[in-house]
Amino acid sequence: MDKIQRSPLFLDGWLEFNRRHWKLQPLRVRHAPEGAAPAIETVLYLNSSGRIVHPKLNPYVPIAFEVTPTPAAYRRQRQWMAVADLLAAEMRERGVQGVLRLAPEVRDVRPWQWTGFHASVSYTFCIDYPFDLQSVDGAIRNKVRAAQKAGYTCRRTKEMKEVLPCLVGTEGRQHFRHELTLQSLELARELLGDDHLVAHVCCSPSGEPVSACVDLYEPGSRVLGWVAGTRPDHLQPGAAQAMLAFLIQEYQAMGASGFDLTGANIRGVAA
């Protein structure tokens, strides 16, 4: 394992949002047998019984892995095993309720398997920068161009009241609930700030927000898609595709290392 970069899921504001909104106790965990590197860090969330749970709408259990300076792959792997074993053992001791999703950078889950956990695969879609939109499927590019020609425009917003109706539009179509209200969206923005909780909307030709994305951003790291939604009557014209194309370019210009759409287990999302 190479060194894993830090994630916006480590931000204090994110931990506090999960504590207040989902009523869970965040716990920062660090294992460093030698006192410094190698080291592994994470954030676990405990329920009222003290067991580890995965908060709803949390993309992953964040993992930060530090290695000692070494060019040898086998040494990095040995260090990973040493610290991941300690984390897996603590998780086993505390107990886990439900399913935990480890960040996609964690490519070796054997320490958890050897500790007694069952590990399976979940899918996401990660874009690494630099990224050229010309590499995107031509049918999608055509849809983006058609939406732009029709007058759809994208912009950043600080108004969660522009975001919520778009989320509700997707809830009705996909038959699920984000369990977010205007107040909870405002709470997340208050705790994280506009530099870390980044919201965008795609507006119809009349200027009405019809698609929205709210993402988690930490400078220099990979942007994590948090929640997104599009009003059903604006799906066919390509509002969602226009939004995604805009975000890919926007975050690249902001200096992110990539963009993780956080989930591709549903056929429609995978497409």
Side-chain angles (χ1 to χ4, degrees):
M1 291 288 297
D2 294 328
K3 179 177 180 178
I4 300 176
Q5 63 190 2
R6 295 195 64 85
S7 162
L9 301 177
F10 281 104
L11 291 168
D12 289 339
W14 183 248
L15 273 65
E16 182 63 14
F17 174 76
N18 283 284
R19 187 185 71 81
R20 295 195 200 180
H21 186 65
W22 303 116
K23 311 303 182 188
L24 298 172
Q25 182 60 44
L27 176 68
R28 291 186 182 272
V29 173
R30 176 181 172 87
H31 288 285
E34 305 299 326
I40 191 169
E41 292 183 53
T42 189
V43 177
L44 304 176
Y45 290 92
L46 309 181
N47 62 16
S48 58
S49 301
R51 301 185 71 187
I52 302 167
V53 296
H54 197 102
K56 187 172 181 178
L57 301 184
N58 271 240
Y60 312 113
V61 176
I63 301 286
F65 171 50
E66 300 175 25
V67 297
T68 59
T70 175
Y74 76 89
R75 288 177 179 165
R76 295 195 298 271
Q77 183 67 26
R78 186 178 297 165
Q79 291 179 24
W80 166 256
M81 290 293 188
V83 295
D85 277 344
L86 296 173
L87 176 57
E90 176 171 353
M91 293 168 73
R92 186 70 178 181
E93 182 179 350
R94 290 183 180 276
V96 174
Q97 181 174 309
V99 175
L100 301 180
R101 293 188 298 275
L102 299 179
E105 292 85 359
V106 179
R107 298 187 297 273
D108 187 346
V109 298
R110 287 176 296 173
W112 282 269
Q113 292 176 318
W114 294 333
T115 310
F117 288 99
H118 172 72
S120 61
V121 177
S122 184
Y123 291 88
T124 187
F125 192 88
C126 297
I127 295 169
D128 292 321
Y129 292 140
F131 183 81
D132 184 358
L133 281 176
Q134 292 305 308
S135 64
V136 173
D137 186 329
I140 299 298
R141 296 201 309 272
N142 289 339
K143 197 152 193 177
V144 171
R145 283 194 291 267
Q148 293 170 342
K149 186 176 180 180
Y152 285 85
T153 57
C154 301
R155 59 176 170 81
R156 191 163 172 174
T157 183
K158 297 181 180 179
E159 300 295 333
M160 294 299 112
K161 62 185 179 183
E162 294 184 328
V163 170
L164 185 59
C166 302
L167 302 184
V168 172
T170 287
E171 290 176 352
R173 188 177 74 257
Q174 297 290 352
H175 306 292
F176 80 102
R177 293 280 310 280
H178 287 98
E179 296 183 29
L180 293 172
T181 63
L182 180 59
Q183 291 72 27
S184 57
L185 288 169
E186 292 287 2
L187 174 64
R189 178 172 175 253
E190 174 189 341
L191 293 172
L192 284 155
D194 296 317
D195 290 337
H196 297 296
L197 191 80
V198 183
H200 290 85
V201 291
C202 180
C203 298
S204 69
S206 65
E208 182 183 13
V210 295
S211 183
C213 290
V214 185
D215 306 309
L216 302 173
Y217 173 70
E218 174 76 340
S221 71
R222 181 178 284 159
V223 178
L224 298 178
W226 182 38
V227 291
T230 301
R231 284 178 36 182
D233 51 331
H234 292 271
L235 283 171
Q236 187 60 36
Q241 289 84 356
M243 167 71 80
L244 182 56
F246 180 84
L247 292 179
I248 289 172
Q249 297 175 94
E250 179 88 345
Y251 290 133
Q252 184 164 224
M254 289 169 61
S257 65
F259 186 20
D260 183 350
L261 278 68
T262 64
N265 277 341
I266 299 173
R267 185 177 296 274
V269 174

